[in-house]
Amino acid sequence: MKVKAFAKINLCLDVLSRRADGYHDVEMVMTNVDIADVLEIRELEENKVSLICNNKDLATDETNLIYKAIVLLQKETKRNFGVEVRLEKNIPMEAGMAGGSADAAATLKAVNELFNLGITTERLIELGARLGADIPFCIMGGTVLAKGIGEKLTPLKKLPKLKLLIAKPAAGLSTKLVYGNLDIETLNKTGFKHRDVREMVSIIESDDTDDIKTVKIAKALDNILEVPSLKLLPFIGQIKQIMYDNNCLGSLMSGSGTAIFGIFDNDSDMLKAKYVLEKDDRINYIETTTTV
């Protein structure tokens, strides 16, 4: 069985508070983009989990989310089964584009189908939430408002097909590091003005034409995690500025970074920005894509 695991970007992300369990309560709007890892999954006669990947930088042992997803399904169903997963990695790592989460979500769905486990989508989402906050969204897909730690999902209208340029610095920032440098309590006490995520939701749910909706979405982009990330890696701001210098409608860091995307209304401006960014050896990933 061969399946695709699509990347995501955040159109907005707000962190409300830190929870006692170490997670954070968030509100965010996420959507899939047409960049995907490819997983080839097959049954093994031997009861073992085998993970093979074309990217040698990715751990393929029991610490990998694909591996953990399979073990979780074995425990859930009290069944032992052998699985081999061959992973073609196309989503950049440490990018805030849910590469690992997308792979785990695709694995949960595919193994459930391959072995006729009979687990409902709702239950898969519950199981996925145990492994990572973005996995429930990756199971559902589309464009979604997410609350809680990311597991409370509300599907939204399908987006216009947005023209996107995505650039990622070679320097990565781990989710743990970014959240560790976000002092949300202090920000709240000092009167930090949170962008209302409901603004983005209302734009997406509106009856505006695609052209008008695209412009409004671009103007409403917001990610509170840029606050610590820009301090940790100022180059993020420089990438955004290059996109704005080449007439992007709006630019944002996705998730906890470090991928930056720009929304463009024409291919010419997008390719000009891509040409400028490609010449910077501090960038190790650059791609044009669209929302799915």
Side-chain angles (χ1 to χ4, degrees):
M1 176 183 291
K2 187 175 284 190
V3 295
K4 285 187 173 182
F6 288 95
K8 65 87 178 168
I9 56 171
N10 293 82
L11 299 178
C12 56
L13 192 164
D14 192 19
V15 179
L16 305 178
S17 61
R18 181 180 172 87
R19 295 156 47 120
D21 60 8
Y23 281 98
H24 289 76
D25 280 312
V26 299
E27 287 186 350
M28 53 190 175
V29 174
M30 296 180 280
T31 193
N32 286 125
V33 298
D34 197 16
I35 297 170
D37 292 345
V38 180
L39 296 84
E40 191 168 353
I41 301 174
R42 70 181 184 93
E43 183 177 2
L44 295 176
E45 290 184 8
E46 186 180 354
N47 286 338
K48 69 173 186 176
V49 176
S50 174
L51 175 57
I52 302 159
C53 182
N54 65 331
N55 187 330
K56 302 303 180 187
D57 293 331
L58 187 73
T60 55
D61 58 12
E62 63 275 4
T63 63
N64 188 286
L65 281 173
I66 291 173
Y67 199 110
K68 290 181 178 180
I70 295 169
V71 171
L72 188 58
L73 289 178
Q74 290 173 333
K75 290 179 179 177
E76 172 74 7
T77 59
K78 296 180 173 60
R79 286 176 57 181
N80 289 320
F81 42 79
V83 186
E84 178 186 86
V85 181
R86 291 182 175 269
L87 173 63
E88 177 190 313
K89 195 73 185 154
N90 299 310
I91 303 171
M93 297 164 61
E94 284 196 335
M97 295 176 67
S101 295
D103 294 342
T107 301
L108 288 170
K109 292 194 291 184
V111 171
N112 183 42
E113 181 181 343
L114 182 64
F115 291 93
N116 296 308
L117 301 180
I119 303 172
T120 65
T121 299
E122 291 74 15
R123 182 58 179 161
L124 285 179
I125 287 172
E126 290 175 0
L127 293 172
R130 297 182 190 176
L131 299 176
D134 283 338
I135 295 176
F137 162 74
C138 293
I139 291 172
M140 179 177 285
T143 302
V144 169
L145 168 66
K147 295 184 177 183
I149 63 168
E151 86 288 7
K152 298 175 183 176
L153 307 175
T154 304
L156 303 174
K157 278 186 179 179
K158 184 177 176 64
L159 289 179
K161 195 170 280 289
L162 305 177
K163 295 177 184 288
L164 301 169
L165 175 63
I166 297 178
K168 183 198 168 296
L173 295 174
S174 71
T175 301
K176 183 177 181 181
L177 178 64
V178 173
Y179 272 96
N181 281 270
L182 177 69
D183 189 347
I184 192 65
E185 284 78 15
T186 298
L187 280 178
N188 288 339
K189 287 175 183 176
T190 54
F192 178 82
K193 185 170 176 54
H194 292 256
R195 187 74 176 255
D196 192 347
V197 174
R198 290 173 296 181
E199 177 188 356
M200 180 65 75
V201 173
S202 66
I203 293 169
I204 294 169
E205 293 291 280
S206 74
D207 294 325
D208 289 333
T209 64
D210 283 357
D211 287 348
I212 292 173
K213 191 175 286 191
T214 295
V215 172
K216 286 184 175 180
I217 288 170
K219 301 305 180 189
L221 297 174
D222 191 69
N223 183 353
I224 196 174
L225 295 182
E226 283 191 350
V227 174
S229 295
L230 283 166
K231 292 178 181 177
L232 292 164
L233 189 64
F235 184 43
I236 289 170
Q238 296 172 39
I239 294 173
K240 292 182 66 173
Q241 188 58 52
I242 289 169
M243 291 192 181
Y244 280 114
D245 289 345
N246 287 277
N247 303 317
C248 81
L249 300 174
S251 179
L252 192 71
M253 182 183 80
S254 182
S256 57
T258 54
I260 308 299
F261 67 89
I263 300 174
F264 289 80
D265 63 359
N266 66 77
D267 292 335
S268 176
D269 286 334
M270 184 165 63
L271 292 175
K272 285 178 185 176
K274 184 172 184 280
Y275 175 75
V276 173
L277 291 166
E278 280 176 334
K279 293 191 292 184
D280 196 317
D281 59 10
R282 292 173 293 176
I283 291 174
N284 70 348
Y285 178 92
I286 186 161
E287 191 65 69
T288 58
T289 188
T290 62
T291 48
V292 178

